[in-house]
Amino acid sequence: MLSDLQIALMRVLWARGESSTAEVAEVLAGERGIKHTTVATMLTRLEKRGVVSLRRDARQVYYQARVSEPEVRRSMVSELLGSLFGGDARALVSHLVDEAEIAPGDLEKLRKQLARGGRDHE
């Protein structure tokens, strides 16, 4: 599972493609006030986990996502489903509806999506 900051880093890479540490740090400094050293540390950790790959060019290090956003989303939702809802997807959906996380108008869209097999959103 990725942390909020790790997801923010990945979103930069997904949006920009291969990027240097400095380029990622520049984006996150503007969005979140994150320092270059923090970005470098997080990218190194993600590389060790196999989530990003790196390429060195002289003194510059470039990173690229090795996993897609849908893959990360699927993995994280699967972990959430298993750990908090015992693998019961109906319990997760029920929780989202009960907690007003799904707007009433969206329920009809979900019903139609489920009727089509549930795979139209990616």
Side-chain angles (χ1 to χ4, degrees), residues 37-122:
T37 54
T38 302
V39 170
T41 299
M42 298 300 292
L43 286 168
T44 299
R45 289 178 183 167
L46 289 171
E47 192 270 331
K48 286 180 182 174
R49 289 176 60 185
V51 178
V52 300
S53 59
L54 70 82
R55 177 179 67 82
R56 293 185 190 278
D57 184 15
R59 295 186 66 201
Q60 194 73 269
V61 179
Y62 294 90
Y63 290 90
Q64 186 169 13
R66 293 185 66 193
V67 294
S68 69
E69 189 170 6
E71 288 172 316
V72 169
R73 188 180 305 125
R74 262 190 303 279
S75 173
M76 291 182 71
V77 168
S78 180
E79 286 183 38
L80 174 75
L81 183 62
S83 64
L84 292 180
F85 296 94
D88 185 353
R90 286 180 295 181
L92 170 60
V93 173
S94 177
H95 171 78
L96 294 172
V97 171
D98 290 346
E99 296 297 318
E101 297 288 335
I102 298 176
D106 291 339
L107 288 175
E108 186 57 34
K109 291 177 189 174
L110 286 170
R111 283 187 190 98
K112 288 178 183 177
Q113 186 176 346
L114 288 170
R116 289 188 303 266
R119 286 253 172 219
D120 294 353
H121 65 286
E122 294 182 345

